[in-house]
Amino acid sequence: MRKPIIAGNWKMNNTIKEAKDLIENLKPLVVDSNVDIVICPSYLSIEAAVELTSGSPIKVGAQNMHYEESGAYTGEVSGEMLKELGIEYIIIGHSERRQYFNETDETVNKKVIKALKLNLNPIVCVGETIEERENNKAKEVVTTQVKNALAGLSQEEISNLIIAYEPIWAIGTGKTASSDDANEVCGWIREVVKELSDQSIAEKIRIQYGGSVKPDNIKELMGQTHIDGALVGGASLKADQFAALVNY
Ligand code: PGA
């Protein structure tokens, strides 16, 4: 039985003060939860988030990292720096990073390898555009993204991953993939993982759906056989909404 994991990707939202308020409001609402709960604030709020969530079921992740330890990479933050702050999860390859910041399958792979070396839990994001879906390319695109992201990983490393299927056309648009479509793609992803490792690992790893997940669609999504959690943007910014997802 895979333990569900609900992760909030706050994106470029919340000042440190706003982040602290959100966490304080969220904490009492999720004490009885049976799922893994992760919040991914901006880098600036991570230290406060780790401190405020200590002793609670809420874990903290980051939204990105560089794959090098240090060096002349102006504006970047390394995994080592984040690890020192006490994060446990790291989102890698979010479509907004691919779209606006030149993230490629190759950099995603380097970051995944680095995160695993640091004992961070990568949440690897994949997903197709609307054009790709309409041209029946979704399976090909997602399969390639997963294979490239996982290239060179050992079976044990693969078993520690979380993969988030996020169709780009569903992110922040209010359009959710139907639960059947989302489940179908998550099933393909599990097949690819099986090809790259084995059946038991494919059955063990958790696959999230992301894209306009809301309190009113979480239950149906989570009822699908291959969907083990959600990566949530907009609805993770309000304590009551995120708590409703966590307590679905
Ligand atoms: P959304 O974002 O929930 O606002 O659609 C999801 C994501 O980008 O992870």
Side-chain angles (χ1 to χ4, degrees):
M1 202 45 200
R2 298 182 291 265
K3 188 173 184 194
I5 174 164
I6 309 284
N9 171 12
W10 291 6
K11 308 193 180 182
M12 196 175 73
N13 292 294
N14 291 327
T15 64
I16 298 174
K17 180 180 181 309
E18 287 163 348
K20 287 180 178 171
D21 289 346
L22 177 48
I23 292 165
E24 290 296 10
N25 291 333
L26 181 64
K27 276 202 294 190
L29 305 179
V30 297
V31 277
D32 296 322
S33 151
N34 298 315
V35 309
D36 284 340
I37 310 168
V38 183
I39 54 169
C40 302
S42 87
Y43 291 141
L44 292 177
S45 299
I46 285 177
E47 190 171 10
V50 170
E51 200 179 299
L52 286 177
T53 55
S54 144
S56 87
I58 305 169
K59 306 291 181 201
V60 180
Q63 300 170 18
N64 181 37
M65 59 170 235
H66 199 280
Y67 48 82
E68 294 290 352
E69 176 176 349
S70 61
Y73 301 100
T74 301
E76 289 293 308
V77 169
S78 72
E80 282 80 357
M81 295 170 185
L82 294 166
K83 176 89 185 171
E84 189 183 78
L85 290 179
I87 65 158
E88 293 179 46
Y89 292 85
I90 178 98
I91 299 174
I92 296 176
H94 190 278
S95 62
E96 286 152 17
R97 302 241 27 114
R98 294 178 190 256
Q99 210 177 337
Y100 307 131
F101 302 101
N102 283 330
E103 190 84 79
T104 63
D105 282 2
E106 193 188 342
T107 56
V108 168
N109 178 244
K110 286 183 174 173
K111 290 177 182 188
V112 170
I113 290 170
K114 183 58 185 269
L116 289 166
K117 276 214 177 79
L118 292 170
N119 280 325
L120 295 172
N121 300 297
I123 300 177
V124 184
C125 303
V126 297
E128 81 284 359
T129 63
I130 190 66
E131 294 79 24
E132 289 161 345
R133 171 149 291 261
E134 283 170 354
N135 292 317
N136 287 324
K137 290 264 185 333
K139 187 170 189 175
E140 186 186 323
V141 168
V142 170
T143 299
T144 304
Q145 287 174 339
V146 173
K147 284 189 174 163
N148 289 342
L150 276 52
L153 298 188
S154 68
Q155 300 213 348
E156 197 200 325
E157 286 172 327
I158 292 177
S159 73
N160 289 320
L161 295 177
I162 296 149
I163 299 178
Y165 167 56
E166 298 205 303
I168 294 170
W169 47 272
I171 294 177
T173 57
K175 282 188 213 154
T176 325
S178 74
S179 50
D180 284 345
D181 284 350
N183 192 48
E184 183 182 29
V185 182
C186 293
W188 297 338
I189 293 172
R190 211 175 287 290
E191 276 303 308
V192 178
V193 170
K194 186 171 136 191
E195 253 177 63
L196 298 173
S197 57
D198 64 24
Q199 175 99 25
S200 68
I201 291 172
E203 273 163 24
K204 182 190 154 200
I205 78 154
R206 293 181 293 181
I207 303 176
Q208 296 175 312
Y209 167 78
S212 298
V213 176
K214 299 273 165 1
D216 62 7
N217 57 28
I218 182 83
K219 212 167 174 158
E220 184 171 346
L221 288 161
M222 292 303 294
Q224 303 300 311
T225 48
H226 290 296
I227 300 178
D228 309 314
L231 182 56
V232 185
S236 71
L237 297 173
K238 297 261 182 320
D240 56 341
Q241 285 193 26
F242 191 60
L245 299 181
V246 163
N247 299 319
Y248 71 93

